[in-house]
Amino acid sequence: LKEKRWFVNSQGHTMAIVDGAEFRMGAPSYELGRTRDEVYHKKRINRRFAIATTEVTLGQWRIFQNANTDVLEDLANHEQIQTLCSTEDSPIPAVTWYEAAAYCNWLSQKEGIPKEQWCYERNSAQLFQAGMRAKGNYLSLEGYRLPSDAEWEFACRAGSNTPRYFGETDTMLPYYGWYGQSSPQPVAQLMPNDLGLFDMLGNLFEWCHNSSTSIDRTPEDIEDTAEILDEESRVIRGGAYSYDPSVLRAAYREVNQPS
């Protein structure tokens, strides 16, 4: 029998199982739209990991928020977010990196994963804020976490080496990614990549674990366990609903403050 390559967790996330390998990360010098942060180099991911097939939805976030009312801003009912999000299947915008890390630990708890296998540690005040960090061996733990910069690009490419997982140009982009829109669109409405991942390009930017200063050119994907600081930006990937097609490429990255 063919090995099953996906599973659905208790919170309704479909998770695609991905076997890491060596790939070309970044963009060659001739790629249209290439930026200086897209250095072309070999990268190895020597592990199997699972990644959600869609962005976290408003409805999924609402369940998390209702269970953590003492520590979270009321994003699910925020007036501007209600205006942006047309349905409960819309991806939740305006989530901070800290809140995303808190969500990961909560998923680990809901899945019954032992606490020693959770990936994120709160700060000295027991908050998901500046001063928190990832555990030293988080890449080998069972708990949920944000993907590394390299894992995100590897999963986005889904075995391709073209600017977009469906090809070289943006001709087919309307079939795969939301861009030039006034608001994000419900998840999984367009075509997925070959790993079954939807909206990897467009709709909303997606947080990665790495800080902007830890973007490395080493052949191995390494852990970033430094203390998280407000003033030190973290990597975001994939472009967003209002962006130009030139941004919607597998190699493109931006950074944003974790708060």
Side-chain angles (χ1 to χ4, degrees):
L1 293 177
K2 188 176 181 180
E3 183 182 12
K4 187 176 177 181
R5 306 296 298 174
W6 58 274
F7 64 92
V8 180
N9 71 11
S10 67
Q11 298 307 304
H13 293 287
T14 300
M15 308 293 295
I17 299 169
V18 181
D19 286 313
E22 184 174 276
F23 74 109
R24 284 283 186 176
M25 187 173 179
S29 59
Y30 54 81
E31 185 169 310
L32 292 176
R34 182 185 185 272
T35 72
R36 63 181 181 180
D37 283 337
E38 300 173 24
V39 177
Y40 201 43
H41 63 292
K42 287 184 180 179
K43 180 73 76 174
R44 285 191 301 272
I45 299 175
N46 295 321
R47 59 187 170 276
R48 171 177 281 191
F49 62 96
I51 189 167
T53 60
T54 72
E55 296 158 331
V56 177
T57 66
L58 173 61
Q60 290 166 334
W61 188 263
R62 190 185 302 282
I63 295 170
F64 166 57
Q65 181 181 289
N66 289 343
N68 296 273
T69 55
D70 57 328
V71 295
L72 290 174
E73 182 182 357
D74 187 6
L75 287 181
N77 298 304
H78 193 284
E79 182 179 355
Q80 287 180 300
I81 290 178
Q82 288 292 306
T83 300
L84 277 176
C85 296
S86 58
T87 73
E88 291 290 287
D89 287 334
S90 297
I92 179 71
V95 174
T96 70
W97 189 97
Y98 299 123
E99 289 168 335
Y103 186 74
C104 290
N105 268 21
W106 181 76
L107 284 178
S108 296
Q109 179 186 23
K110 298 300 287 185
E111 293 303 294
I113 296 171
K115 195 168 185 178
E116 61 269 18
Q117 292 292 319
W118 299 3
C119 292
Y120 294 107
E121 296 180 334
R122 300 171 186 243
N123 65 12
S124 58
Q126 296 304 300
L127 298 172
F128 288 98
Q129 292 180 10
M132 64 164 289
R133 66 174 70 233
K135 291 181 181 177
N137 58 337
Y138 68 85
L139 288 180
S140 60
L141 295 179
E142 295 177 11
Y144 286 77
R145 58 176 172 81
L146 295 169
S148 73
D149 189 29
E151 286 172 335
W152 187 96
E153 185 169 330
F154 182 79
C156 179
R157 290 187 176 281
S160 68
N161 58 10
T162 50
R164 301 165 180 90
Y165 41 81
F166 51 83
E168 184 79 26
T169 71
D170 60 15
T171 304
M172 300 292 290
L173 188 55
Y175 297 101
Y176 290 88
W178 295 109
Y179 64 96
Q181 304 285 313
S182 59
S183 62
Q185 303 297 309
V187 302
Q189 299 299 299
L190 300 177
M191 295 287 289
N193 71 7
D194 284 353
L195 289 175
L197 307 181
F198 296 89
D199 302 313
M200 290 297 280
L201 300 177
N203 227 12
L204 287 185
F205 271 108
E206 298 163 9
W207 286 113
C208 292
H209 176 78
N210 303 72
S211 72
S212 56
T213 58
S214 73
I215 297 173
D216 64 89
R217 318 299 175 216
T218 61
E220 302 287 341
D221 189 20
I222 60 175
E223 293 182 337
D224 176 14
T225 57
E227 186 176 288
I228 315 300
L229 303 174
D230 283 342
E231 60 271 19
E232 191 170 279
S233 294
R234 317 297 294 184
V235 174
I236 55 176
R237 288 291 208 131
Y241 62 89
S242 60
Y243 274 61
D244 184 89
S246 65
V247 169
L248 275 61
R249 296 177 294 106
Y252 183 81
R253 65 159 65 84
E254 286 193 24
V255 298
N256 206 346
Q257 291 179 295
S259 56

